Structures are given as C-alpha cells and as structure tokens.
Amino acid sequence: MDYIDFGNTGLKVSRLAIGTGTHGWAGRSDQTALGVEGLTNLLRRAFETGINFWDTADQYGSHRHVARALQGVPREQVVIATKTTAKKGQDIVKDLARFRKELQTDVLDIVLLHGLSDPNWPEKYESAMAALSRAKEAGLVRAVGFSCHGLGALRAAVETPWVDVVLVRINHAGVNMDAPPATVVPLIEKLHAAGKAVYGM
C-alpha cells in the first residue's frame, strides 16, 4: 500500500480509503446493511490489506460498526474521518462528545461539516467552524473541513484558511459530480497546492 502525508494535517494515510456510506443518510447505508459483524469484518480486512483510512459519518449510522472494528486493530494505526450536520457551535460540542463516545476514542482524527453546497458556507457555518477550531486547539480533533456537494462550495474552500480537509466528488466519468472533471480537477490542484488534504468520493 502507498501511504501519503495527508495535506498539512500531520496524518499519514493509505492512498486508498474505505467508506461506510454508500447511499448513506438517515442513519443507514449499504455498508451498515451488512450488520455490525459484516461491516466489522470488512473494515478489519481492509486494515489487513493496508487501508488505514476509514470514512464514517453520523448520518451513515456507522459509528458503532467502526468502534467494533477498532477493537481488533491498533487504534493509533487507523485514521478515522467522520462528519456532522450540526450548524451551530453548541450542537458541534454535543456531537463531538457523542461521536467520541460512539467511536470509543479520545481523539477524533478528522471531523467534516457534512454535505455543504452553499458558496457562502464559511459565513453561514461560522459558529460551527469556531467550535471545531476550539476542539482542535483542545486536542479533541486533529483536522477539520467539509464534504463538498456544490461547485461554489468547492471554490470557497480554496479561499478559506480554516479548511484542513476536503472530501470532494470526483470520478473519471463525471457521474454525480458538482461539475465535469475538467472543472473540478483544477480546483483540487489549487487545494493541494495550498496544503489542504483532499480525498474523493
């Protein structure tokens, strides 16, 4: 497996990640449909093959599956990204406490604001961003960012210093993306050049 420095986060991740949210929302996904044992086995098998980067989210309902899988691997060798739909600082604080409990971990490696499409998200989510920054300063979170579902939101990320990590829709066929690859790829390159970590869904 090829391992890379994940932007300027200080995290080292496998180039290939494993997700838990195919068709995921409202507390379920195709992966959670495998059941706790099924998804636990899948995640542990991924780890055995060198994949140390696991993507989860509150909306996927996969935290308990990830927690169970972590019981069988060294926690310090796995990088976990999770996501929140909270929009206000006080709700972020509650989510982070719950996520740490659900994932059975003291530190959340990556926390993303989930599914943003508004080009004005840096202003709209200022309270949530400030709460995530405080959690990062307190050592409860290692890196912050957002998962992108809009071209304007992606463009805003290039100009937003707060962003450590961006999850962006990208594939060779341009299916279910925010714009054709020819438009999205230059923005990814700008994010990378600015030291931001980027991974694709």
Side-chain angles (χ1 to χ4, degrees):
M1 180 60 66
D2 185 20
Y3 296 91
I4 60 169
D5 292 323
F6 202 42
N8 291 335
T9 65
L11 300 168
K12 188 173 283 290
V13 299
S14 50
R15 190 173 291 279
L16 180 64
I18 184 166
T20 62
T22 304
H23 304 120
W25 204 253
R28 70 153 309 279
S29 71
D30 291 354
Q31 285 81 7
T32 61
L34 297 171
V36 173
E37 286 301 318
L39 184 45
T40 292
N41 292 337
L42 181 63
L43 290 168
R44 289 181 181 172
R45 178 61 180 148
F47 182 80
E48 290 169 3
T49 62
I51 299 171
N52 78 330
F53 188 12
W54 300 357
D55 179 88
T56 185
D58 189 31
Q59 284 292 328
Y60 306 158
S62 54
H63 282 172
R64 66 191 180 108
H65 306 70
V66 171
R68 178 73 169 274
L70 284 174
Q71 293 174 8
V73 300
R75 170 64 185 95
E76 67 279 3
Q77 293 182 27
V78 180
V79 175
I80 299 170
T82 190
K83 310 176 196 78
T84 174
T85 56
K87 296 176 174 63
K88 300 295 182 184
Q90 64 267 28
D91 296 324
I92 290 285
V93 171
K94 291 175 185 175
D95 271 3
L96 296 184
R98 178 167 57 85
F99 292 1
R100 290 167 63 222
K101 184 175 181 180
E102 290 174 352
L103 289 163
Q104 298 177 29
T105 186
D106 294 330
V107 180
L108 300 167
D109 298 312
I110 301 165
V111 179
L112 306 179
L113 298 173
H114 198 167
L116 305 191
S117 58
D118 190 331
N120 297 317
W121 68 264
E123 293 78 33
K124 190 173 181 180
Y125 288 83
E126 186 175 1
S127 173
M129 293 160 63
L132 283 169
S133 292
R134 288 191 295 271
K136 186 176 161 185
E137 290 165 7
L140 300 176
V141 174
R142 292 194 171 98
V144 298
F146 78 113
S147 68
C148 185
H149 286 257
L151 185 62
L154 187 60
R155 287 188 171 126
V158 175
E159 308 299 329
T160 305
W162 175 84
V163 174
D164 299 321
V165 180
V166 182
L167 174 56
V168 60
R169 299 197 284 191
I170 181 73
N171 59 81
H172 73 281
V175 177
N176 292 325
M177 287 179 54
D178 303 319
T183 301
V184 173
V185 168
L187 293 173
I188 290 175
E189 291 171 344
K190 288 181 179 179
L191 290 167
H192 182 264
K196 301 180 190 302
V198 182
Y199 68 117
M201 59 176 128

Short mmCIF file of all heavy atoms in Angstrom, two decimals, residues 12-47:
data_model
loop_
_atom_site.label_atom_id
_atom_site.label_comp_id
_atom_site.label_asym_id
_atom_site.label_seq_id
_atom_site.Cartn_x
_atom_site.Cartn_y
_atom_site.Cartn_z
N LYS A 12 -0.84 10.52 8.31
CA LYS A 12 -0.35 9.73 7.18
C LYS A 12 -1.40 8.67 6.88
O LYS A 12 -1.77 7.89 7.76
CB LYS A 12 1.01 9.09 7.49
CG LYS A 12 1.65 8.42 6.28
CD LYS A 12 3.06 7.96 6.59
CE LYS A 12 4.07 9.07 6.62
NZ LYS A 12 4.37 9.65 5.29
N VAL A 13 -1.89 8.68 5.65
CA VAL A 13 -2.99 7.79 5.29
C VAL A 13 -2.64 6.94 4.08
O VAL A 13 -1.81 7.31 3.25
CB VAL A 13 -4.28 8.59 4.99
CG1 VAL A 13 -4.72 9.39 6.20
CG2 VAL A 13 -4.10 9.52 3.78
N SER A 14 -3.31 5.81 3.98
CA SER A 14 -3.21 4.99 2.77
C SER A 14 -3.85 5.76 1.63
O SER A 14 -4.82 6.49 1.82
CB SER A 14 -3.91 3.64 2.98
OG SER A 14 -5.21 3.81 3.49
N ARG A 15 -3.30 5.61 0.45
CA ARG A 15 -3.85 6.34 -0.70
C ARG A 15 -5.30 5.92 -0.97
O ARG A 15 -6.11 6.71 -1.46
CB ARG A 15 -2.98 6.12 -1.94
CG ARG A 15 -3.35 7.04 -3.08
CD ARG A 15 -2.38 6.94 -4.23
NE ARG A 15 -1.06 7.47 -3.92
CZ ARG A 15 -0.73 8.75 -3.96
NH1 ARG A 15 -1.64 9.66 -4.25
NH2 ARG A 15 0.50 9.14 -3.68
N LEU A 16 -5.63 4.70 -0.65
CA LEU A 16 -6.99 4.21 -0.78
C LEU A 16 -7.66 4.22 0.59
O LEU A 16 -7.10 3.73 1.57
CB LEU A 16 -6.99 2.79 -1.34
CG LEU A 16 -8.35 2.13 -1.56
CD1 LEU A 16 -9.16 2.88 -2.61
CD2 LEU A 16 -8.17 0.67 -1.96
N ALA A 17 -8.85 4.81 0.67
CA ALA A 17 -9.64 4.79 1.89
C ALA A 17 -10.78 3.80 1.72
O ALA A 17 -11.10 3.39 0.60
CB ALA A 17 -10.20 6.18 2.18
N ILE A 18 -11.41 3.42 2.82
CA ILE A 18 -12.63 2.62 2.75
C ILE A 18 -13.76 3.41 3.39
O ILE A 18 -13.63 3.95 4.49
CB ILE A 18 -12.47 1.23 3.42
CG1 ILE A 18 -13.75 0.41 3.22
CG2 ILE A 18 -12.08 1.34 4.90
CD1 ILE A 18 -13.59 -1.07 3.54
N GLY A 19 -14.87 3.51 2.66
CA GLY A 19 -16.01 4.26 3.14
C GLY A 19 -17.06 3.36 3.75
O GLY A 19 -17.07 2.15 3.56
N THR A 20 -17.98 3.99 4.50
CA THR A 20 -19.07 3.25 5.13
C THR A 20 -20.42 3.89 4.79
O THR A 20 -21.40 3.65 5.48
CB THR A 20 -18.91 3.22 6.66
OG1 THR A 20 -18.97 4.57 7.17
CG2 THR A 20 -17.59 2.59 7.07
N GLY A 21 -20.46 4.68 3.70
CA GLY A 21 -21.66 5.46 3.44
C GLY A 21 -22.24 5.42 2.04
O GLY A 21 -22.86 6.38 1.62
N THR A 22 -22.07 4.30 1.32
CA THR A 22 -22.69 4.22 0.00
C THR A 22 -24.21 4.31 0.15
O THR A 22 -24.80 3.56 0.93
CB THR A 22 -22.30 2.90 -0.69
OG1 THR A 22 -20.88 2.80 -0.75
CG2 THR A 22 -22.88 2.84 -2.10
N HIS A 23 -24.82 5.26 -0.57
CA HIS A 23 -26.25 5.54 -0.42
C HIS A 23 -26.60 5.81 1.04
O HIS A 23 -27.69 5.45 1.51
CB HIS A 23 -27.12 4.40 -0.97
CG HIS A 23 -26.82 4.08 -2.40
ND1 HIS A 23 -26.39 2.84 -2.83
CD2 HIS A 23 -26.87 4.86 -3.52
CE1 HIS A 23 -26.21 2.86 -4.14
NE2 HIS A 23 -26.49 4.08 -4.58
N GLY A 24 -25.67 6.44 1.76
CA GLY A 24 -25.84 6.63 3.19
C GLY A 24 -26.52 7.93 3.57
O GLY A 24 -26.12 9.01 3.11
N TRP A 25 -27.54 7.84 4.40
CA TRP A 25 -28.20 9.01 5.00
C TRP A 25 -29.25 8.49 5.96
O TRP A 25 -29.62 7.31 5.91
CB TRP A 25 -28.82 9.92 3.95
CG TRP A 25 -28.98 11.34 4.44
CD1 TRP A 25 -30.14 11.98 4.78
CD2 TRP A 25 -27.94 12.29 4.67
NE1 TRP A 25 -29.90 13.26 5.20
CE2 TRP A 25 -28.54 13.49 5.14
CE3 TRP A 25 -26.55 12.27 4.53
CZ2 TRP A 25 -27.82 14.63 5.48
CZ3 TRP A 25 -25.82 13.40 4.86
CH2 TRP A 25 -26.45 14.56 5.31
N ALA A 26 -29.69 9.34 6.86
CA ALA A 26 -30.77 8.99 7.80
C ALA A 26 -30.44 7.76 8.63
O ALA A 26 -31.31 6.95 8.95
CB ALA A 26 -32.09 8.80 7.05
N GLY A 27 -29.15 7.62 8.96
CA GLY A 27 -28.75 6.55 9.88
C GLY A 27 -28.53 5.19 9.28
O GLY A 27 -28.43 4.20 10.01
N ARG A 28 -28.41 5.12 7.95
CA ARG A 28 -28.15 3.81 7.33
C ARG A 28 -27.32 3.99 6.06
O ARG A 28 -27.22 5.09 5.52
CB ARG A 28 -29.45 3.08 6.99
CG ARG A 28 -30.22 3.71 5.85
CD ARG A 28 -31.10 2.74 5.09
NE ARG A 28 -30.43 1.53 4.65
CZ ARG A 28 -29.67 1.44 3.56
NH1 ARG A 28 -29.44 2.49 2.80
NH2 ARG A 28 -29.13 0.27 3.23
N SER A 29 -26.74 2.90 5.58
CA SER A 29 -26.02 2.89 4.31
C SER A 29 -25.95 1.46 3.81
O SER A 29 -26.35 0.52 4.52
CB SER A 29 -24.58 3.43 4.52
OG SER A 29 -23.80 2.49 5.24
N ASP A 30 -25.45 1.29 2.61
CA ASP A 30 -25.28 -0.07 2.09
C ASP A 30 -24.32 -0.87 2.96
O ASP A 30 -24.49 -2.08 3.13
CB ASP A 30 -24.75 -0.03 0.65
CG ASP A 30 -25.78 0.51 -0.34
OD1 ASP A 30 -26.94 0.75 0.06
OD2 ASP A 30 -25.41 0.70 -1.52
N GLN A 31 -23.32 -0.20 3.52
CA GLN A 31 -22.35 -0.91 4.36
C GLN A 31 -22.95 -1.30 5.71
O GLN A 31 -22.72 -2.40 6.20
CB GLN A 31 -21.09 -0.06 4.56
CG GLN A 31 -20.17 -0.01 3.36
CD GLN A 31 -20.63 1.01 2.31
OE1 GLN A 31 -21.56 1.77 2.51
NE2 GLN A 31 -19.95 1.01 1.18
N THR A 32 -23.73 -0.40 6.33
CA THR A 32 -24.32 -0.76 7.63
C THR A 32 -25.36 -1.86 7.46
O THR A 32 -25.65 -2.60 8.40
CB THR A 32 -24.95 0.45 8.33
OG1 THR A 32 -26.00 1.00 7.54
CG2 THR A 32 -23.91 1.52 8.63
N ALA A 33 -25.91 -2.00 6.24
CA ALA A 33 -26.86 -3.08 5.97
C ALA A 33 -26.20 -4.45 6.09
O ALA A 33 -26.89 -5.48 6.21
CB ALA A 33 -27.48 -2.91 4.58
N LEU A 34 -24.87 -4.47 6.09
CA LEU A 34 -24.14 -5.73 6.30
C LEU A 34 -24.25 -6.20 7.74
O LEU A 34 -23.90 -7.34 8.05
CB LEU A 34 -22.66 -5.56 5.94
CG LEU A 34 -22.32 -5.23 4.49
CD1 LEU A 34 -20.84 -4.88 4.36
CD2 LEU A 34 -22.68 -6.39 3.58
N GLY A 35 -24.70 -5.31 8.64
CA GLY A 35 -24.75 -5.63 10.06
C GLY A 35 -23.44 -5.29 10.73
O GLY A 35 -22.42 -5.03 10.06
N VAL A 36 -23.45 -5.28 12.05
CA VAL A 36 -22.24 -4.90 12.80
C VAL A 36 -21.10 -5.87 12.50
O VAL A 36 -19.97 -5.46 12.22
CB VAL A 36 -22.52 -4.84 14.31
CG1 VAL A 36 -21.22 -4.62 15.09
CG2 VAL A 36 -23.51 -3.73 14.64
N GLU A 37 -21.39 -7.16 12.52
CA GLU A 37 -20.33 -8.15 12.27
C GLU A 37 -19.83 -8.06 10.84
O GLU A 37 -18.62 -8.12 10.59
CB GLU A 37 -20.84 -9.56 12.57
CG GLU A 37 -20.98 -9.87 14.05
CD GLU A 37 -19.67 -9.73 14.82
OE1 GLU A 37 -18.62 -10.16 14.30
OE2 GLU A 37 -19.70 -9.17 15.93
N GLY A 38 -20.74 -7.91 9.90
CA GLY A 38 -20.34 -7.85 8.50
C GLY A 38 -19.45 -6.66 8.19
O GLY A 38 -18.41 -6.81 7.54
N LEU A 39 -19.84 -5.47 8.66
CA LEU A 39 -19.03 -4.29 8.39
C LEU A 39 -17.75 -4.30 9.21
O LEU A 39 -16.69 -3.87 8.74
CB LEU A 39 -19.83 -3.01 8.66
CG LEU A 39 -19.15 -1.68 8.33
CD1 LEU A 39 -18.46 -1.69 6.98
CD2 LEU A 39 -20.16 -0.53 8.43
N THR A 40 -17.81 -4.84 10.43
CA THR A 40 -16.59 -5.00 11.23
C THR A 40 -15.58 -5.86 10.49
O THR A 40 -14.40 -5.50 10.38
CB THR A 40 -16.93 -5.64 12.59
OG1 THR A 40 -17.68 -4.72 13.37
CG2 THR A 40 -15.67 -6.03 13.35
N ASN A 41 -16.02 -6.97 9.95
CA ASN A 41 -15.13 -7.86 9.20
C ASN A 41 -14.56 -7.18 7.97
O ASN A 41 -13.38 -7.35 7.63
CB ASN A 41 -15.85 -9.14 8.81
CG ASN A 41 -16.19 -10.02 10.00
OD1 ASN A 41 -15.55 -9.92 11.05
ND2 ASN A 41 -17.18 -10.89 9.86
N LEU A 42 -15.39 -6.39 7.28
CA LEU A 42 -14.93 -5.68 6.09
C LEU A 42 -13.85 -4.66 6.43
O LEU A 42 -12.81 -4.58 5.77
CB LEU A 42 -16.12 -4.98 5.42
CG LEU A 42 -15.83 -4.21 4.13
CD1 LEU A 42 -15.33 -5.14 3.03
CD2 LEU A 42 -17.08 -3.46 3.68
N LEU A 43 -14.07 -3.89 7.49
CA LEU A 43 -13.09 -2.87 7.90
C LEU A 43 -11.78 -3.52 8.37
O LEU A 43 -10.69 -3.03 8.04
CB LEU A 43 -13.67 -1.99 9.00
CG LEU A 43 -14.80 -1.05 8.56
CD1 LEU A 43 -15.50 -0.45 9.78
CD2 LEU A 43 -14.27 0.06 7.66
N ARG A 44 -11.88 -4.59 9.11
CA ARG A 44 -10.66 -5.26 9.57
C ARG A 44 -9.91 -5.89 8.40
O ARG A 44 -8.67 -5.88 8.38
CB ARG A 44 -11.00 -6.32 10.63
CG ARG A 44 -11.43 -5.69 11.95
CD ARG A 44 -11.74 -6.74 12.99
NE ARG A 44 -12.18 -6.13 14.24
CZ ARG A 44 -12.67 -6.80 15.27
NH1 ARG A 44 -12.77 -8.13 15.21
NH2 ARG A 44 -13.05 -6.17 16.37
N ARG A 45 -10.63 -6.42 7.44
CA ARG A 45 -9.97 -6.97 6.25
C ARG A 45 -9.28 -5.86 5.47
O ARG A 45 -8.17 -6.05 4.96
CB ARG A 45 -11.01 -7.69 5.37
CG ARG A 45 -10.43 -8.26 4.09
CD ARG A 45 -9.36 -9.30 4.35
NE ARG A 45 -8.82 -9.82 3.11
CZ ARG A 45 -7.57 -10.22 2.96
NH1 ARG A 45 -6.73 -10.17 4.00
NH2 ARG A 45 -7.15 -10.68 1.81
N ALA A 46 -9.93 -4.70 5.37
CA ALA A 46 -9.30 -3.56 4.71
C ALA A 46 -8.00 -3.19 5.42
O ALA A 46 -6.98 -2.93 4.77
CB ALA A 46 -10.25 -2.37 4.71
N PHE A 47 -8.02 -3.18 6.74
CA PHE A 47 -6.81 -2.86 7.51
C PHE A 47 -5.71 -3.88 7.23
O PHE A 47 -4.54 -3.51 7.06
CB PHE A 47 -7.14 -2.82 9.00
CG PHE A 47 -5.97 -2.46 9.87
CD1 PHE A 47 -5.58 -1.14 10.01
CD2 PHE A 47 -5.25 -3.44 10.53
CE1 PHE A 47 -4.49 -0.80 10.80
CE2 PHE A 47 -4.16 -3.11 11.33
CZ PHE A 47 -3.78 -1.78 11.46
#
